[in-house]
Amino acid sequence: MLFEIICDQFKQKRVEFLPTLNTVLGDDIGSNSIGKSTFLMIIDFVFGGKDYILKSAEIQRHVGKHTIKFCFIFQEKKYYFLRDTEDLESVSECDESYNVVSKIPLSQYCEFLKHRYNIHLPNISFRDIVGRYSRIYGKENLNEKRPLDIVHNEAAGTPINALLKLFGLFSVISELEDLLKQRETELSAYRNAQRYNFVSSIGKRKYNENLKELTQLDEIKEQISKDLDNNLLDIDSEKAEEVIKLKQRLSVAKRKRSKYYSQYVTIENNMKENSPIRSEQFDDLLRFFPDANIRNIAEVEKFHYEIRNVLKTELKAKKGELNKIISVSQNEIDTIEENIKKIIQIPNLSKAILTKYSEIQKMSEKLESENKAYLTSITLKTSRDDTKARRDQMRRDQLYLLQIEINTKMQEINDYIYSEQKKPPVITFDKNQYKFETIDDTGTGTFYKNMVVYDLSVLELTALPILIHDSVVLKQIADVAVEKILLKYLQSEKQIFISFDKKKAYTAGTQKILIETKVLELSPNGNELFGRSWNNK
């Protein structure tokens, strides 16, 4: 609980607080500009707010830089802090004499308060909890017809989300929200890929046309397969292309082998013709040419024989080299033929058939890719839409539970205030909008009473640790209801801070409560919060 606030610029330097209702009391004529709302702003400032500085320019102008010291008690232990009006983003931790020990960020300080008040709610900050229920003149949450809104024209859905979070009903929605964001991201990324032609993009008509064409292509492939003893159905276009390339290599390899073999045969023949011509082989020649010079012919033949003997070693070496090359060529041919056989198991498959099959398979794969992209896009969109529908249904279910819980509590509190004689306020939710009203009663006082009843309901039903109601909220309510509202404040086990004036205009019971819960009393002519008023001439 908040234990004390100290400021050297105050007329009353120190204000100590009670564990339940705490009243800042004005005078009996309802004097303005004495500091009631300002002090409530300071309480909000102590609970991590910034409006005391941002929306109280006259204070900063007339008081100048000043320090607000304050102490909390949690589990019987005191924690001391101070905030400087010139430093909105940090809080100083202090010792018991308010000497600064260290500075911490405002966000860390708010987390400290959230932890010490045992608030274990995800996805909502301490300020989003208490700020909405600090209803002080100068803040924007005083619209009695829009009690959930913390500022004017708050984004649709934000006030309701904050309430769902405060009631612990938002986590299941949040999980679906996160899933929906993921689904939307996936769908957006896929559509971007289609837009930049990384993935095919077709419509339903083209999808159906592709299905028909795929059926026709499958029939053609099946016919090719039948012609080849059903051995080609499992060959895709990539394998077919590989076979075509292998057959081209095979053709080249066979031509090389033939070339080398021809050279080998020529050398072998030359080596066989290596014996000299005998003298009797010239007899037939002399029979036709009796004048031939047999001696000269024999000498020439002898020269050729000697030359062949000289080249014999070289021819033998060349023959051995060609033999090795032919062997290598044959091995290459065998390897290529084995690779082809492994792929298609059809040794005599022609290049024409493979080319045709490859083209058909390529077209099939293109159409299948287009259809797969279409189905993926449909699946992603359907998944996104289904998740959105689940999110929306879960939100409706949670809002229905919230509506019942709040309306039931508001009826209970309203019946207490009016002894079951008046209709209670009713809140209804519709997606991101809400309506707050009392059926058949549209009076100004009723709407302000409704807002108080709503705040008290939230205070009782949730981990909301405090409530702040300025006199502008309470003065609009009928006198007969004010005493019951004050009694309801007193029954709370949480701290409530209110400002009030003209106490003598109310019932004796109301006056008694106000006096007993008074922590600060202000009035004109030197008894203002800062000891003076700056609106006088």
Side-chain angles (χ1 to χ4, degrees):
M1 61 165 278
L2 178 61
F3 174 64
E4 68 180 4
I5 290 179
I6 298 172
C7 181
D8 294 339
Q9 278 74 21
F10 287 171
K11 174 69 181 296
Q12 180 182 319
K13 307 295 184 186
R14 177 178 177 273
V15 179
E16 185 175 331
F17 297 96
L18 302 169
T20 54
L21 179 60
N22 297 268
T23 302
V24 179
L25 200 58
D27 62 11
D28 289 329
I29 61 173
S31 298
N32 294 320
S33 302
I34 57 177
K36 300 188 305 295
S37 297
T38 298
F39 188 71
L40 293 182
M41 278 286 199
I42 290 171
I43 293 174
D44 182 66
F45 185 65
V46 164
F47 279 91
K50 298 180 182 180
D51 287 344
Y52 174 59
I53 305 300
L54 299 177
K55 297 183 178 180
S56 304
E58 73 282 357
I59 301 293
Q60 314 313 315
R61 185 165 57 251
H62 291 280
V63 179
K65 175 184 176 181
H66 55 286
T67 300
I68 306 296
K69 305 170 185 176
F70 46 96
C71 173
F72 284 91
I73 298 178
F74 295 112
Q75 296 180 338
E76 301 182 358
K77 181 180 178 180
K78 292 182 178 178
Y79 297 84
Y80 299 89
F81 303 93
L82 65 80
R83 287 188 75 181
D84 194 313
T85 57
E86 289 191 348
D87 186 0
L88 280 180
E89 300 303 328
S90 63
V91 177
S92 296
E93 297 178 298
C94 304
D95 61 20
E96 60 185 12
S97 299
Y98 287 102
N99 297 309
V100 175
V101 175
S102 64
K103 273 192 174 185
I104 59 174
L106 179 62
S107 58
Q108 183 179 334
Y109 168 73
C110 289
E111 282 299 311
F112 164 82
L113 292 179
K114 187 178 181 182
H115 173 71
R116 288 299 171 182
Y117 275 109
N118 293 315
I119 302 174
H120 306 293
L121 296 171
N123 307 313
I124 187 168
S125 68
F126 183 76
R127 280 306 303 170
D128 205 20
I129 295 172
V130 301
R132 293 179 181 275
Y133 302 92
S134 299
R135 304 193 189 275
I136 308 166
Y137 180 77
K139 292 171 71 73
E140 297 182 51
N141 62 344
L142 287 172
N143 186 341
E144 71 278 12
K145 297 180 182 180
R146 302 284 301 175
L148 276 64
D149 299 10
I150 195 171
V151 293
H152 180 63
N153 286 333
E154 190 170 14
T158 302
I160 295 177
N161 285 346
L163 191 60
L164 285 165
K165 292 172 184 177
L166 183 55
F167 274 77
L169 297 173
F170 191 75
S171 292
V172 289
I173 300 174
S174 178
E175 291 174 2
L176 289 172
E177 289 274 12
D178 292 341
L179 183 59
L180 178 58
K181 288 178 182 177
Q182 180 183 335
R183 295 287 182 262
E184 288 176 337
T185 299
E186 291 171 351
L187 180 58
S188 176
Y190 200 77
R191 284 176 172 172
N192 283 334
Q194 290 179 316
R195 183 182 308 159
Y196 294 106
N197 297 320
F198 294 120
V199 178
S200 300
S201 178
I202 63 171
K204 187 174 182 179
R205 178 183 296 178
K206 184 66 166 64
Y207 172 79
N208 290 328
E209 290 174 357
N210 286 355
L211 287 179
K212 293 178 181 179
E213 190 171 352
L214 280 167
T215 300
Q216 295 171 356
L217 292 174
D218 285 342
E219 290 174 356
I220 296 173
K221 286 193 294 181
E222 187 174 356
Q223 185 59 49
I224 292 175
S225 178
K226 287 180 180 178
D227 292 342
L228 300 170
D229 297 326
N230 296 319
N231 287 320
L232 190 59
L233 277 178
D234 61 343
I235 301 178
D236 58 24
S237 62
E238 186 175 339
K239 288 182 178 180
E241 284 189 355
E242 186 177 351
V243 170
I244 291 171
K245 291 178 181 178
L246 287 172
K247 279 187 166 286
Q248 290 172 343
R249 286 178 56 197
L250 181 63
S251 177
V252 172
K254 285 183 176 180
R255 285 200 299 272
K256 286 183 178 180
R257 183 190 63 178
S258 296
K259 174 184 174 183
Y260 297 140
Y261 187 73
S262 176
Q263 293 176 4
Y264 179 87
V265 170
T266 299
I267 290 174
E268 191 173 49
N269 289 336
N270 285 335
M271 290 180 69
K272 288 179 180 178
E273 297 174 1
N274 202 26
S275 56
I277 299 176
R278 296 184 302 276
S279 58
E280 58 268 20
Q281 291 178 295
F282 292 113
D283 292 342
D284 293 333
L285 179 63
L286 287 173
R287 191 178 306 125
F288 294 99
F289 301 99
D291 297 329
N293 191 342
I294 298 302
R295 181 178 179 184
N296 288 341
I297 293 173
E299 287 178 357
V300 170
E301 179 58 27
K302 180 181 179 183
F303 173 75
H304 286 163
Y305 175 75
E306 290 174 352
I307 289 296
R308 281 197 292 272
N309 281 334
V310 171
L311 295 176
K312 182 177 180 181
T313 302
E314 292 183 14
L315 290 173
K316 186 175 182 181
K318 185 64 176 178
K319 179 180 175 184
E321 181 182 338
L322 286 171
N323 191 44
K324 290 180 181 179
I325 292 174
I326 292 169
S327 178
V328 170
S329 295
Q330 186 61 49
N331 288 338
E332 182 181 3
I333 291 168
D334 293 342
T335 300
I336 294 172
E337 289 179 340
E338 182 63 27
N339 287 338
I340 293 173
K341 185 177 180 181
K342 286 179 180 178
I343 294 174
I344 60 175
Q345 299 297 314
I346 303 175
N348 295 317
L349 191 61
S350 72
K351 178 179 177 181
I353 293 175
L354 281 171
T355 301
K356 182 179 180 180
Y357 184 88
S358 176
E359 290 173 352
I360 294 171
Q361 186 65 17
K362 274 186 177 181
M363 178 57 69
S364 296
E365 289 171 358
K366 176 179 178 295
L367 298 178
E368 287 171 353
S369 177
E370 289 179 353
N371 280 12
K372 182 181 179 182
Y374 172 77
L375 293 175
T376 300
S377 179
I378 293 299
T379 299
L380 290 173
K381 184 179 182 300
T382 302
S383 179
R384 190 274 310 272
D385 293 343
D386 289 347
T387 303
K388 185 177 184 297
R390 288 172 57 201
R391 188 276 312 269
D392 292 344
Q393 183 59 52
M394 181 59 71
R395 187 176 181 83
R396 285 191 291 271
D397 293 345
Q398 296 299 80
L399 286 175
Y400 179 71
L401 294 175
L402 181 65
Q403 183 173 303
I404 291 176
E405 192 169 4
I406 292 177
N407 286 337
T408 301
K409 179 56 71 172
M410 287 198 299
Q411 179 172 341
E412 175 190 317
I413 294 174
N414 196 78
D415 287 347
Y416 171 80
I417 293 172
Y418 291 107
S419 301
E420 303 183 11
Q421 298 300 311
K422 298 282 187 179
K423 291 181 179 180
V426 175
I427 191 167
T428 53
F429 300 103
D430 181 18
K431 294 182 180 178
N432 291 323
Q433 299 298 329
Y434 70 94
K435 181 184 286 188
F436 185 70
E437 62 184 343
T438 296
I439 307 299
D440 299 326
D441 192 345
T442 58
T444 301
T446 297
F447 273 111
Y448 276 98
K449 178 270 300 179
N450 289 350
M451 186 161 62
V452 172
V453 170
Y454 165 77
D455 285 356
L456 285 169
S457 298
V458 174
L459 188 71
E460 289 190 20
L461 292 171
T462 71
L464 176 66
I466 65 164
L467 203 57
I468 301 178
H469 283 165
D470 204 348
S471 58
V472 69
V473 175
L474 297 169
K475 69 174 55 177
Q476 306 292 337
I477 301 172
D479 294 357
V480 66
V482 169
E483 183 177 342
K484 284 294 191 72
I485 288 173
L486 293 177
L487 287 170
K488 195 65 180 173
Y489 284 154
L490 279 174
Q491 293 170 12
S492 176
E493 296 180 354
K494 300 176 181 179
Q495 280 187 305
I496 299 174
F497 307 92
I498 68 169
S499 67
F500 209 97
D501 50 24
K502 295 184 180 182
K503 67 178 183 298
K504 289 185 178 180
Y506 292 87
T507 65
T510 296
Q511 294 182 51
K512 181 175 182 296
I513 294 171
L514 293 173
I515 292 171
E516 289 176 349
T517 60
K518 178 186 68 176
V519 295
L520 179 65
E521 187 169 3
L522 304 172
S523 59
N525 303 317
N527 196 42
E528 295 90 351
L529 179 62
F530 289 99
R532 67 188 190 279
S533 177
W534 33 82
N535 67 344
N536 295 327
K537 288 186 178 180

